[in-house]
Amino acid sequence: MDGVIPLYKPRGVTSADCVYKLRKILHERRIGHTGTLDPDVDGVLPICVGQATKLVNRLLAGGKVYQGEITLGFATTTEDLSGDEVERVFLTQAPTEAEVDAALTKLTGDVAQIPPMFSAVKVNGRRLYEYARAGETVERPVRQIHVFRFQRTAPLVYDATAGVVRFPFTVSCSKGTYVRTLATDCGQLLGVPAVMSSLQRLESGGITLAETVTLAQVTAAMAQADLSTVLRPIETVLATLPAVRLDAAQWQLVKNGGAITLAGSAPEVALFYEDKIKAIYRYQPSRLGNYSAETMLLANQ
């Protein structure tokens, strides 16, 4: 049982809950997700199973795409609607769309971001949310992220009764990006408190929302002893890598993690033997060959 489940995580459950439930459904301990989704966020949560857990970091590095909503006019402890309100300014009018778009543009590209106190980032061996729940403060590390695209997707909506302004957005960003912090940073650039009022992950690790399956579908597939409809083979996850078919002599070297000589100089290649993927090798010329082991996958099968 090796591959990736393109899971749809609903709102109201944690990413850890999904992993726990899948371990029970699949009777498999080797399961890991590729980037936490907050309980109030739904969407794509790729789940690596079996040997595919060795690919977690690779999928994490693939970047993510979200759609959501930002509300201007108040802020919370968690930077989303799950926290306690800490600031409110009654807006008598909305900023211009040009002003909002300019703020989003300033948050595009290489961005220095301070993670929220209610996050899983570790400082001095403790999670930031542990400090926050204990009422303690601690200096948070500045992290470098990259925002490929951050755009408003519809007109601003001004609520004169509540004194707030809402607008939807999409964002494409690197791993480690806190989208709720982008929302509050947008507010700061506009001179008003802000909060991320909704979020959905549309894409992660090359998997889109349209390709996801639910826990109920995984349960049904397991009951029918056919996971082909819910489990992506490792080969499909690595489809963008050049595929190299090994002969018997090369396989004898690879099965023991040995370096081999191959034509070309692609940074990485996926090695196959008898139509099964066996390893990922990286271009690293040495006296023993120009490709050496990066990740061993099904070498013993």
Side-chain angles (χ1 to χ4, degrees):
M1 191 182 297
D2 304 291
V4 176
I5 296 175
L7 189 70
Y8 170 77
K9 187 196 86 68
R11 298 186 183 189
V13 299
T14 68
S15 300
D17 289 336
C18 293
V19 170
Y20 173 76
K21 291 176 181 178
L22 283 170
R23 283 177 177 155
K24 293 184 67 176
I25 294 169
L26 302 175
H27 309 295
E28 171 65 65
R29 296 295 304 171
R30 297 173 300 165
I31 294 180
H33 63 72
T34 60
T36 300
L37 277 180
D38 291 337
D40 290 342
V41 180
D42 70 313
V44 182
L45 183 66
I47 302 287
C48 294
V49 181
Q51 291 284 343
T53 53
K54 297 177 181 179
L55 304 177
V56 165
N57 288 337
R58 180 177 293 270
L59 290 174
L60 273 171
K64 299 171 176 61
V65 179
Y66 299 86
Q67 67 179 8
E69 180 189 71
I70 294 174
T71 298
L72 307 175
F74 70 97
T76 69
T77 53
T78 58
E79 303 180 347
D80 60 18
L81 297 184
S82 67
D84 298 325
E85 187 175 311
V86 292
E87 184 182 5
R88 180 175 287 269
V89 174
F90 189 94
L91 302 181
T92 57
Q93 63 181 18
T96 67
E97 293 185 345
E99 289 172 330
V100 170
D101 292 345
L104 299 181
T105 298
K106 286 182 180 179
L107 294 170
T108 303
D110 292 325
V111 177
Q113 186 177 75
I114 299 176
M117 281 299 299
F118 281 90
S119 66
V121 174
K122 279 189 174 182
V123 175
N124 299 325
R126 294 174 63 190
R127 305 284 186 184
L128 283 177
Y129 64 73
E130 295 175 333
Y131 289 103
R133 289 171 180 170
E136 303 173 15
T137 58
V138 66
E139 185 175 353
R140 289 169 282 171
V142 177
R143 294 157 37 127
Q144 294 297 319
I145 61 167
H146 189 83
V147 178
F148 301 96
R149 184 181 74 255
F150 193 13
Q151 296 176 324
R152 177 177 53 85
T153 56
L156 306 179
V157 176
Y158 174 57
D159 185 337
T161 301
V164 300
V165 174
R166 301 182 180 88
F167 64 90
F169 68 88
T170 60
V171 61
S172 174
C173 52
S174 67
K175 69 174 183 177
T177 301
Y178 282 92
V179 180
R180 48 196 163 107
T181 298
L182 288 178
T184 60
D185 289 346
C186 174
Q188 289 178 2
L189 290 171
L190 294 169
V192 297
V195 68
M196 184 189 74
S197 44
S198 178
L199 191 67
Q200 181 181 58
R201 186 188 282 168
L202 300 178
E203 184 176 335
S204 178
I207 296 171
T208 65
L209 188 63
E211 299 171 291
T212 57
V213 297
T214 64
L215 284 171
Q217 288 175 293
V218 177
T219 301
M222 189 65 179
Q224 296 169 7
D226 181 10
L227 294 177
S228 62
T229 58
V230 298
L231 184 70
R232 286 186 168 199
I234 290 177
E235 288 85 348
T236 64
V237 178
L238 300 175
T240 58
L241 294 183
V244 175
R245 309 291 169 177
L246 302 174
D247 58 32
Q250 291 171 320
W251 168 233
Q252 289 304 310
L253 292 171
V254 169
K255 69 189 299 185
N256 295 309
I260 58 174
T261 298
L262 300 172
S265 59
E268 289 183 319
V269 294
L271 303 185
F272 287 76
Y273 183 66
E274 295 182 343
D275 294 325
K276 291 185 178 179
I277 193 165
K278 299 298 183 180
I280 300 169
Y281 265 46
R282 177 172 289 277
Y283 183 71
Q284 294 177 321
S286 70
R287 65 182 182 84
L288 298 176
N290 60 352
Y291 279 88
S292 56
E294 172 76 8
T295 305
M296 303 300 291
L297 294 167
L298 306 181
N300 296 323
Q301 298 184 20

